[in-house]
Coordinates of all heavy atoms in Angstrom, one line a residue:
A30 N -15.2 18.1 -20.1 CA -15.2 19.2 -19.2 C -16.6 19.6 -18.8 O -16.9 19.9 -17.7 CB -14.5 20.4 -19.9
A31 N -17.5 19.5 -19.8 CA -18.9 19.8 -19.5 C -19.5 18.8 -18.5 O -20.3 19.2 -17.6 CB -19.7 19.9 -20.8
R32 N -19.3 17.5 -18.7 CA -19.8 16.5 -17.9 C -19.2 16.6 -16.5 O -19.9 16.3 -15.5 CB -19.6 15.1 -18.5 CG -20.1 14.0 -17.6 CD -19.9 12.6 -18.2 NE -20.7 12.4 -19.3 CZ -20.8 11.2 -20.0 NH1 -20.0 10.2 -19.6 NH2 -21.6 11.1 -21.0
L33 N -17.9 16.9 -16.4 CA -17.3 16.9 -15.1 C -17.4 18.3 -14.4 O -16.9 18.4 -13.3 CB -15.8 16.6 -15.3 CG -15.5 15.2 -15.8 CD1 -14.0 15.1 -16.2 CD2 -15.8 14.2 -14.7
Y34 N -18.0 19.2 -15.0 CA -18.1 20.6 -14.5 C -16.7 21.2 -14.2 O -16.5 21.8 -13.2 CB -19.0 20.6 -13.2 CG -20.4 20.1 -13.4 CD1 -20.7 18.8 -13.1 CD2 -21.4 20.9 -13.9 CE1 -22.0 18.3 -13.3 CE2 -22.7 20.5 -14.1 CZ -23.0 19.2 -13.8 OH -24.3 18.7 -14.0
L35 N -15.9 21.0 -15.2 CA -14.5 21.6 -15.1 C -14.3 22.4 -16.4 O -15.0 22.3 -17.3 CB -13.4 20.4 -15.1 CG -13.5 19.5 -13.9 CD1 -12.5 18.4 -14.1 CD2 -13.1 20.3 -12.6
T36 N -13.2 23.2 -16.3 CA -12.9 23.9 -17.5 C -12.1 23.0 -18.5 O -11.5 22.0 -18.0 CB -12.0 25.2 -17.2 OG1 -10.8 24.8 -16.6 CG2 -12.8 26.1 -16.2
Q37 N -12.0 23.4 -19.8 CA -11.2 22.6 -20.7 C -9.7 22.6 -20.3 O -9.1 21.6 -20.4 CB -11.4 23.2 -22.1 CG -12.8 23.0 -22.7 CD -12.9 23.5 -24.1 OE1 -11.9 23.4 -24.9 NE2 -14.1 24.0 -24.5
P38 N -9.1 23.8 -19.9 CA -7.7 23.7 -19.5 C -7.5 22.8 -18.3 O -6.5 22.2 -18.2 CB -7.5 25.2 -19.1 CG -8.4 26.0 -19.9 CD -9.7 25.2 -20.0
A39 N -8.5 22.7 -17.4 CA -8.3 21.8 -16.2 C -8.3 20.4 -16.7 O -7.5 19.6 -16.2 CB -9.4 22.1 -15.2
V40 N -9.2 20.0 -17.6 CA -9.2 18.6 -18.1 C -7.9 18.3 -18.9 O -7.3 17.3 -18.7 CB -10.4 18.4 -19.0 CG1 -10.3 17.0 -19.7 CG2 -11.7 18.5 -18.2
S41 N -7.4 19.3 -19.7 CA -6.2 19.1 -20.4 C -5.0 18.9 -19.5 O -4.1 18.1 -19.7 CB -5.9 20.2 -21.4 OG -7.0 20.3 -22.4
A42 N -5.0 19.7 -18.4 CA -3.9 19.6 -17.4 C -3.9 18.3 -16.7 O -2.9 17.7 -16.5 CB -4.0 20.8 -16.4
A43 N -5.1 17.8 -16.4 CA -5.2 16.5 -15.8 C -4.7 15.4 -16.7 O -4.0 14.5 -16.2 CB -6.7 16.2 -15.4
L44 N -5.0 15.4 -17.9 CA -4.5 14.4 -18.9 C -3.0 14.5 -19.0 O -2.4 13.4 -19.1 CB -5.2 14.6 -20.2 CG -6.7 14.3 -20.3 CD1 -7.2 14.6 -21.7 CD2 -7.0 12.9 -19.9
R45 N -2.4 15.7 -19.0 CA -1.0 15.8 -19.0 C -0.3 15.2 -17.8 O 0.7 14.5 -17.9 CB -0.6 17.3 -19.2 CG -0.8 17.8 -20.6 CD -0.1 19.2 -20.8 NE -0.5 20.2 -19.8 CZ -1.5 21.0 -20.1 NH1 -2.2 20.9 -21.2 NH2 -1.8 21.9 -19.2
R46 N -0.9 15.4 -16.6 CA -0.4 14.9 -15.4 C -0.4 13.4 -15.4 O 0.5 12.7 -15.0 CB -1.1 15.4 -14.2 CG -0.8 16.9 -13.9 CD -1.7 17.4 -12.7 NE -1.5 16.6 -11.5 CZ -2.3 16.5 -10.5 NH1 -3.4 17.2 -10.5 NH2 -2.0 15.8 -9.4
L47 N -1.6 12.8 -15.9 CA -1.7 11.4 -15.9 C -0.8 10.7 -16.9 O -0.1 9.7 -16.7 CB -3.2 11.0 -16.3 CG -3.5 9.5 -16.3 CD1 -3.2 8.9 -14.9 CD2 -5.0 9.3 -16.7
T48 N -0.6 11.4 -18.1 CA 0.3 10.9 -19.1 C 1.8 10.9 -18.5 O 2.5 9.9 -18.8 CB 0.3 11.8 -20.4 OG1 -1.0 11.7 -20.9 CG2 1.3 11.3 -21.4
S49 N 2.1 11.9 -17.8 CA 3.4 12.0 -17.2 C 3.6 10.9 -16.2 O 4.7 10.2 -16.1 CB 3.7 13.3 -16.6 OG 4.9 13.4 -15.9
A50 N 2.6 10.6 -15.4 CA 2.7 9.6 -14.3 C 2.8 8.2 -15.0 O 3.6 7.3 -14.5 CB 1.5 9.6 -13.4
V51 N 2.0 8.0 -16.0 CA 2.1 6.7 -16.7 C 3.3 6.5 -17.5 O 3.8 5.3 -17.6 CB 0.8 6.5 -17.6 CG1 0.9 5.3 -18.4 CG2 -0.5 6.5 -16.7
G52 N 3.8 7.6 -18.1 CA 5.0 7.5 -18.9 C 4.8 7.1 -20.3 O 5.8 6.6 -21.0
S53 N 3.6 7.2 -20.8 CA 3.3 6.8 -22.2 C 2.0 7.6 -22.6 O 1.1 7.8 -21.8 CB 3.1 5.3 -22.3 OG 2.7 4.9 -23.6
P54 N 2.0 8.0 -23.9 CA 0.7 8.7 -24.4 C -0.5 7.8 -24.2 O -0.4 6.6 -24.5 CB 1.1 9.0 -25.9 CG 2.5 8.9 -26.0 CD 3.0 7.9 -24.9
L55 N -1.6 8.4 -23.8 CA -2.8 7.7 -23.6 C -3.8 7.9 -24.7 O -4.8 7.1 -24.9 CB -3.4 8.1 -22.3 CG -2.6 7.8 -21.0 CD1 -3.2 8.4 -19.8 CD2 -2.4 6.3 -20.9
F56 N -3.7 9.1 -25.4 CA -4.6 9.4 -26.5 C -3.8 9.9 -27.7 O -2.6 10.3 -27.6 CB -5.5 10.6 -26.1 CG -6.5 10.3 -25.0 CD1 -6.2 10.6 -23.7 CD2 -7.7 9.7 -25.3 CE1 -7.1 10.3 -22.7 CE2 -8.6 9.4 -24.3 CZ -8.3 9.7 -23.0
V57 N -4.4 9.7 -28.9 CA -3.8 10.3 -30.1 C -4.9 11.0 -30.8 O -6.1 10.7 -30.6 CB -3.2 9.1 -31.0 CG1 -2.0 8.5 -30.4 CG2 -4.3 8.1 -31.4
R58 N -4.6 12.0 -31.6 CA -5.5 12.8 -32.3 C -6.1 12.0 -33.5 O -5.4 11.3 -34.2 CB -4.9 14.1 -32.9 CG -4.7 15.2 -31.8 CD -6.0 15.9 -31.6 NE -6.0 16.8 -30.5 CZ -7.0 17.4 -30.0 NH1 -8.2 17.1 -30.4 NH2 -6.9 18.3 -29.0
D59 N -7.4 12.2 -33.7 CA -8.1 11.6 -34.8 C -9.1 12.6 -35.3 O -10.2 12.7 -34.9 CB -8.8 10.3 -34.4 CG -9.5 9.6 -35.5 OD1 -9.1 9.9 -36.7 OD2 -10.4 8.8 -35.3
G60 N -8.6 13.4 -36.3 CA -9.4 14.5 -36.8 C -9.5 15.5 -35.7 O -8.6 16.0 -35.1
R61 N -10.8 15.9 -35.3 CA -11.0 16.8 -34.3 C -11.2 16.2 -32.9 O -11.5 16.9 -31.9 CB -12.3 17.6 -34.6 CG -12.1 18.4 -36.0 CD -13.4 19.2 -36.3 NE -13.6 20.2 -35.3 CZ -14.7 21.1 -35.4 NH1 -15.5 21.0 -36.4 NH2 -14.8 22.0 -34.4

Side-chain angles (χ1 to χ4, degrees):
R32 177 177 290 184
L33 295 167
Y34 300 99
L35 297 172
T36 64
Q37 292 183 34
V40 173
S41 297
L44 291 179
R45 287 195 298 271
R46 289 176 58 198
L47 183 59
T48 299
S49 175
V51 171
S53 177
L55 301 173
F56 293 96
V57 295
R58 281 285 172 187
D59 182 20
R61 299 181 64 179

